[in-house]
Amino acid sequence: MEFKDFKNRISKLKKMPLPGEEAHRKLAPMMRIKELEELDMEQLKPQEAGVMALFYPDMQQKTRMVLILRKTYKGVHSNQVGFPGGRVEPEDRNMEHTALRETEEEVGIPQDSVEVIAKLSRLYIPPSNFWVYPFIGMLDHTPELIPQESEVEEIMEVLLSEFLDDNNLINETLSTSYATEIEVPAYKLNNKVVWGATGMMLSEVREMLLKS
């Protein structure tokens, strides 16, 4: 999609009702749906994080979205694809500031260059015990993307047209640090499987963009 067309459409998102859980469930693994139904949030006392679904024009003025492949480490999200973002720090003014600050740290995009378009539905992530608050943001220029060496293995620049293509909605059998041989709904983006919480949040983004 040409970026000028994307800019004309995305303004509609500000007044659009959030599809929320209905969209999340379309990309939710069956084990995740069952897990969420049985949780007692008051006892769990989740931490909080903010992430950013950020869109911008590439050099050919096609619309792209930035995702990151996380480093391999001892943790539940090791070597998985996600949005730029991270946990709330004491100095953060609000959740939007958390998402912007973490995006600058992880991919090098200055906070003051991002126009925040919409705050999306929060999503609970059982393996790491986090409430995650996603935002949609936009840049009006092609950014210089700089990966944070300690956190980011690879920056993924995904074409919006690829993200919206139904052919890239797949089912995949995979194993994780907490489950083996599970079949999950996912996206195939830049030849990588994007699933779990990121897939669920992307489902809400995709549904809104298709309706705009």
Side-chain angles (χ1 to χ4, degrees):
M1 182 185 296
E2 297 288 337
F3 188 69
K4 65 178 187 299
D5 298 327
F6 174 77
K7 283 184 71 174
N8 290 334
R9 291 174 59 174
I10 199 169
S11 61
K12 299 176 185 176
L13 269 59
K14 296 179 180 180
K15 297 180 181 179
M16 191 179 294
L18 298 177
E21 185 178 346
E22 181 181 348
H24 290 164
R25 290 175 74 94
K26 292 178 181 178
L27 264 289
M30 187 56 63
M31 59 176 287
R32 180 63 52 84
I33 293 173
K34 293 177 180 177
E35 198 172 5
L36 290 171
E37 289 172 349
E38 297 170 359
L39 293 175
D40 183 345
M41 292 298 177
E42 287 190 15
Q43 288 190 350
L44 291 169
K45 296 182 171 59
Q47 300 182 70
E48 294 182 321
V51 301
M52 185 67 65
L54 186 61
F55 295 88
Y56 55 89
D58 64 16
M59 297 299 288
Q60 288 73 44
Q61 294 300 303
K62 301 294 186 183
T63 307
R64 290 189 182 261
M65 169 178 61
V66 63
L67 296 172
I68 60 172
L69 177 65
R70 299 204 174 276
K71 292 275 191 181
T72 300
Y73 64 97
K74 291 183 178 179
V76 295
H77 302 303
S78 171
N79 201 232
Q80 290 186 5
V81 176
F83 294 106
R87 72 176 67 222
V88 174
E89 298 294 348
E91 67 271 18
D92 292 343
R93 297 187 299 274
N94 50 41
M95 203 61 65
E96 180 179 309
H97 180 221
T98 298
L100 289 167
R101 175 185 55 76
E102 285 281 345
T103 297
E104 181 169 12
E105 290 177 8
E106 292 190 335
V107 297
I109 296 174
Q111 299 174 43
D112 59 4
S113 67
V114 178
E115 178 185 355
V116 178
I117 303 297
K119 179 181 179 180
L120 303 178
S121 305
R122 71 176 184 171
L123 179 67
Y124 179 69
I125 305 179
S128 53
N129 193 31
F130 266 89
W131 276 117
V132 176
Y133 295 78
F135 295 83
I136 292 179
M138 182 177 67
L139 284 176
D140 62 5
H141 62 275
T142 305
E144 178 185 4
L145 298 171
I146 305 168
Q148 184 180 21
E149 288 189 13
S150 60
E151 299 281 344
V152 179
E153 182 67 29
E154 178 186 337
I155 291 176
M156 295 169 54
E157 297 185 79
V158 178
L159 277 168
L160 177 59
S161 56
E162 180 181 343
F163 171 50
L164 297 179
D165 187 345
D166 288 345
N167 292 320
N168 290 316
L169 279 167
I170 63 171
N171 285 291
E172 187 82 359
T173 300
L174 47 77
S175 297
T176 73
S177 59
Y178 51 88
T180 57
E181 295 294 307
I182 56 172
E183 184 172 330
V184 299
Y187 295 98
K188 192 70 172 289
L189 301 173
N190 291 28
N191 293 314
K192 291 183 173 60
V193 177
V194 185
W195 67 288
T198 302
M200 293 166 73
M201 289 183 281
L202 279 171
S203 181
E204 184 171 50
V205 174
R206 186 175 187 272
E207 195 158 310
M208 293 180 74
L209 288 175
L210 289 172
K211 289 179 179 177
S212 65

